[in-house]
Structures are given as C-alpha cells and as structure tokens.
Amino acid sequence: MKLYYAQNSRAVRIAWLLEELGLEYEIEKFTLGERAMREDNYKSIHPMGRVPALEDGDVTLFESGAIVQYILALHADGRMAPEPGSKEFSNYLQWLHYCEGMIMPPINTIVVETILLPPERRTELNVKRATKLLGQMLSAVEAHMENRDFLAGDFSGADIMTGHSVIVSRNLVKADFSAFPNLTRYADGLLQRPALQKAMSL
Ligand SMILES: N[C@@H](CCC(=O)N[C@@H](CS)C(=O)NCC(=O)O)C(=O)O
C-alpha cells in the first residue's frame, strides 16, 4: 500500500491506522499547500489534489473514512472494527462517519476564516457561528464518552476518525474544552498512543 501524506492533515488518520495494525506501507510526503499537490501527476491519484489518498494494487481511494473502512475490511483480520450485529457495531458506524459529516465542516470554516484567508477577507460572524456549531457537535461526543474509554467498545476505526477530529478541535482550532472533561481525558489518552505519535511525526 502507498499512502499520500502530509503532516497536520487528515492523512495522519491513515498513517495512525496503518501503524496501529503494524502494516507495511510506502509513503509519499507533501507539505500541505505545496504546488506538487496540484500538479497533474498527483491529480491522477486525488482529483482535488488533497490528502490522504491510498493506493493498494490497482485500487485508489481518496476519502479518509472510506480508506479506514477499506483497510479494516481487507487488511486487519477483524481487528479494530466490531462485527456487524455485535452490540457496538452501530456505535462504530455512527462515530466513524460523524467526524467528516459533523465535526470537520465547522473546523474547515474556522481554519479558512482564521488561517487561510487574508485578514481583509475574513468574516468574524462566520467564525462565531462555526465555533458555536463545533461546540454543539462536540457535546454529542462528550455525552457519548461518559464512562467509556473508546467510542465503540475497544479501540477502533471510529476512534481514528472522530478521535482525530476531537484532537484537532482542541489543538488546532482551540475549541473550548472546559465543559468537556470526557473529551479531555479521551484526547489525552489517544495522544499517548505510540502509533499516533509516530503518524504525526512522519
Ligand atoms: N473529506 C476528505 C477531506 C480531504 C482534505 O480536505 N484534506 C486536506 C488536508 S486535511 C487537504 O489536502 N488540503 C489541501 C488543500 O486543500 O490544498 C477526507 O477526509 O479525506
């Protein structure tokens, strides 16, 4: 397998998963925003020139949640994903998809409005709205994490996805975690995992 990766991006999720599973992989590294990501060469792998992308033989995927599901279905021997029909399966699907569906959209807005746009094009109201929305999205994860170590039973692909977005909420966009003791404990625990530490520093 070959992973197209950049530090401080969603590609960390895939490297984290591959490291947790102990799978061998090749890696092509970019710096976020660099020109090579927009060139035709790479656009033949990821049409929008983004990361992550994964190649596995003649298969190419370019959506992080789909890549996590693909690797777990084909290369994990049943690890890190509850069986369909098991008690935690619905939680697994819920939190695997909640990340890109609900948490990342307000994070994207905050990043665009506070980092990517030049100051004269930023709109404070957009940041205010997105910050409020992000807090609401995280509240649902906080409630779910009461008396739990992980989102769906044992550590799973759901933690790779939504766990990563919880960490990004706190560490990159500085969401207010003062009312989120469960998420604070959860994020701190995930950051202790050697596989995540390695994935963040490739
Ligand atoms: N929904 C996609 C989002 C991919 C995405 O937007 N990646 C960002 C990094 S986190 C990117 O490559 N941005 C670079 C750019 O837009 O130039 C996924 O989860 O894979």
Side-chain angles (χ1 to χ4, degrees):
M1 278 183 282
K2 180 169 178 181
L3 170 64
Y4 295 84
Y5 168 96
Q7 273 193 356
N8 301 315
S9 80
R10 290 162 170 93
V12 166
R13 298 170 183 168
I14 311 306
W16 182 14
L17 176 63
L18 291 164
E19 293 291 336
E20 292 279 359
L21 293 170
L23 296 173
E24 301 235 328
Y25 58 102
E26 272 178 75
I27 187 162
E28 182 159 332
K29 292 188 214 170
F30 294 107
T31 300
L32 265 190
E34 84 170 85
R35 238 174 129 176
M37 288 177 71
R38 303 277 187 229
E39 279 165 9
D40 288 348
N41 222 8
Y42 184 55
K43 281 195 169 170
S44 67
I45 308 291
H46 193 312
M48 277 75 69
R50 296 188 179 205
V51 287
L54 184 86
E55 286 180 307
D56 183 23
D58 57 4
V59 170
T60 303
L61 287 149
F62 49 87
E63 180 62 41
S64 61
I67 296 171
V68 167
Q69 240 178 322
Y70 174 88
I71 292 172
L72 289 177
L74 270 70
H75 297 292
D77 298 321
R79 290 175 289 165
M80 288 182 62
E83 284 280 311
S86 67
K87 191 169 142 276
E88 294 288 353
F89 185 64
S90 57
N91 280 328
Y92 171 69
L93 292 182
Q94 163 69 41
W95 300 110
L96 183 72
H97 293 287
Y98 189 83
C99 163
E100 282 303 305
M102 301 296 261
I103 301 181
M104 292 312 292
I107 290 181
N108 289 341
T109 302
I110 296 169
V111 169
V112 167
E113 292 281 353
T114 61
I115 300 172
L116 299 181
L117 282 177
E120 68 277 10
R121 291 183 54 206
R122 295 178 187 175
T123 310
E124 216 168 291
L125 189 61
N126 290 345
V127 180
K128 228 173 143 184
R129 279 201 192 111
T131 302
K132 188 172 173 199
L133 198 58
L134 178 58
Q136 291 168 353
M137 299 307 157
L138 291 171
S139 297
V141 196
E142 168 71 17
H144 178 72
M145 285 305 292
E146 186 74 26
N147 299 321
R148 281 179 170 270
D149 290 331
F150 301 110
L151 291 163
D154 295 333
F155 180 73
S156 75
D159 298 295
I160 297 275
M161 292 296 293
T162 282
H164 180 260
S165 68
V166 167
I167 291 169
V168 168
S169 299
R170 188 180 67 173
N171 293 8
L172 178 71
V173 302
K174 313 285 180 213
D176 180 5
F177 268 46
S178 56
F180 298 150
N182 294 328
L183 293 188
T184 300
R185 169 182 53 80
Y186 177 52
D188 288 345
L190 293 178
L191 285 164
Q192 295 297 316
R193 298 183 77 90
L196 175 55
Q197 290 172 3
K198 173 143 190 223
M200 291 195 302
S201 62
L202 287 169

